[in-house]
Amino acid sequence: MRKLFFILILILASETSYSQVCCGGGVYDLAVLSLNKRALFNVGYKFDNYMGVWDADNQWRDISQTNYQMTPSLSAAYRFNKHLQAGLLVPYIFNVNELPGLPTDGSGIGDVVLSGRYEIFHEYALYKEKGKIKTDKVTPYFAVTFGMTLPSGKSDENANSEIDITGKGFYTSSLGLSFIKTIIQDKFQLGTDLSWQHSFPKSYTKYYNQDIQPYERKQGDRFNFAISGNYFINFYNSVSLAVSGFLQNGYSINDVKVENTNESIVNFVLSYTYYPKTYFRITPLFKWNIPSNGFGSNTTGSLLFGLSLVYYIENLDDF
């Protein structure tokens, strides 16, 4: 139970930040199942208040107008066996802003996310030695993660304006590694998540629903990272702090790289989890950026509040 919460926080910490000033992508977070859980159903909500943007020279610029995004979502995950599990996330995006010349709001389904992980090692696994059952207290948790983001949201190709954007518009694959090690048993864990995202080229025939001369556009590859510490107060409560971010290569048009379009950011995530029952979890969280020069490039900075309610189905099989 504790391991699954920690993995969720790592995934959340490495969450995508959007390059649009007022709106964006729709990538939300998939919870992860521990060995004693067969499946889960998650209802999530995020309120993301945009404070400003970093330009191509890493300089911070405040946004004086109101800009925020609300994202309710539904997700589910299923464990197939001891090593393999998969998940599905469906977000819905609400954008609100006061930017001159734009509508005040827009909404629509976000980009649907498919995800999976193959777990190579589990912490505290049981093994037999000379006829005795023992517990492995040395080997950390280690998994290979993979996924695909589907462009089900509205992008700058088919949205009527920037406020209508609810997705990136690209098919994006991801491949990564997840590592967790308990430092103090039943009290403190450290973990790291690393992933590489690759977006496939997309042919544009429209821009904001207006016919244009066709061209091919490709989003740059992205490296995501997250380092997190989790402290267990007791069996029912825990807190976590994570530092995360990404580095993304620039866009290209017709295989020609567009200058000064690289993106980067550093995020901080603080969360609290309460387990009133073994099959139910409540997790509020707070994510923020440092609104100062040097902490991002070509992306937005924001204050985000999130809430996750998760219901688990117990695993009765002996993995």
Side-chain angles (χ1 to χ4, degrees):
M1 178 173 65
R2 291 175 171 177
K3 180 174 68 181
L4 109 169
F5 160 69
F6 190 64
I7 300 172
L8 170 65
I9 295 305
L10 283 173
I11 294 177
L12 180 62
S14 59
E15 168 194 337
T16 303
S17 295
Y18 310 122
S19 59
Q20 306 294 343
V21 172
C22 68
C23 38
V27 174
Y28 206 56
D29 310 297
L30 295 174
V32 178
L33 293 161
S34 57
L35 283 175
N36 63 341
K37 308 297 182 186
R38 170 62 74 175
L40 67 79
F41 301 94
N42 176 39
V43 177
Y45 174 80
K46 292 191 301 183
F47 179 87
D48 206 357
N49 184 39
Y50 296 101
M51 304 180 297
V53 298
W54 286 280
D55 62 21
D57 297 319
N58 308 111
Q59 300 298 300
W60 173 258
R61 302 178 186 275
D62 289 321
I63 296 177
S64 58
Q65 297 89 356
T66 298
N67 285 280
Y68 63 86
Q69 183 179 88
M70 296 179 291
T71 309
S73 67
L74 298 174
S75 60
Y78 183 82
R79 175 174 287 280
F80 297 96
N81 52 47
K82 181 179 180 179
H83 299 289
L84 183 64
Q85 59 178 285
L88 168 70
L89 164 81
V90 181
Y92 196 89
I93 310 294
F94 295 91
N95 294 313
V96 178
N97 89 103
E98 295 179 352
L99 293 176
L102 290 177
T104 57
D105 58 74
S107 63
I109 190 171
D111 290 341
V112 172
V113 180
L114 306 175
S115 125
R117 62 176 50 220
Y118 186 83
E119 298 163 319
I120 300 173
F121 301 119
H122 292 274
E123 274 201 302
Y124 300 110
L126 300 178
Y127 67 98
K128 183 178 289 188
E129 183 179 277
K130 297 180 180 179
K132 295 182 179 181
I133 301 297
K134 295 187 176 183
T135 301
D136 183 355
K137 298 182 179 180
V138 177
T139 304
Y141 173 89
F142 182 69
V144 176
T145 61
F146 50 91
M148 176 68 72
T149 300
L150 310 179
S152 50
K154 290 180 289 186
S155 69
D156 54 5
E157 179 184 30
N158 52 15
N160 292 322
S161 66
E162 186 177 357
I163 195 64
D164 284 326
I165 293 178
T166 62
K168 291 293 187 181
F170 299 95
Y171 285 94
T172 302
S173 62
S174 66
L175 183 65
L177 301 174
S178 179
F179 171 89
I180 298 173
K181 178 60 179 174
T182 296
I183 306 303
I184 302 175
Q185 188 170 352
D186 296 329
K187 277 300 177 184
F188 186 71
Q189 289 177 325
L190 285 176
T192 301
D193 262 30
L194 306 173
S195 67
W196 186 263
Q197 290 182 314
H198 173 77
S199 294
F200 296 91
K202 175 181 176 61
S203 296
Y204 276 72
T205 58
K206 292 178 178 291
Y207 190 66
Y208 288 112
N209 260 338
Q210 300 295 315
D211 292 331
I212 59 172
Q213 185 72 25
Y215 69 92
E216 185 180 78
R217 184 182 180 189
K218 184 179 181 298
Q219 183 176 251
D221 289 350
R222 170 179 292 190
F223 172 71
N224 300 295
F225 64 90
I227 301 173
S228 185
N230 191 37
Y231 176 73
F232 304 109
I233 301 170
N234 52 42
F235 186 79
Y236 302 99
N237 304 272
S238 63
V239 293
S240 179
L241 177 64
V243 179
S244 66
F246 69 80
L247 301 170
Q248 179 174 302
N249 294 332
Y251 285 79
S252 61
I253 295 179
N254 294 331
D255 292 326
V256 178
K257 185 176 179 180
V258 181
E259 296 297 325
N260 298 320
T261 58
N262 290 6
E263 298 180 20
S264 64
I265 200 170
V266 177
N267 302 311
F268 300 89
V269 180
L270 178 65
S271 64
Y272 162 76
T273 289
Y274 173 55
Y275 287 94
K277 301 289 183 180
T278 59
Y279 54 82
F280 186 66
R281 173 176 60 78
I282 303 170
T283 302
L285 61 93
F286 180 64
K287 181 180 77 69
W288 71 98
N289 304 114
I290 297 177
S292 182
N293 297 340
F295 287 92
S297 176
N298 284 326
T299 190
T300 56
S302 66
L303 293 173
L304 180 147
F305 171 77
L307 181 65
S308 180
L309 306 176
V310 183
Y311 177 80
Y312 298 98
I313 296 176
E314 301 291 333
N315 181 26
L316 300 179
D317 294 338
D318 184 13
F319 285 156

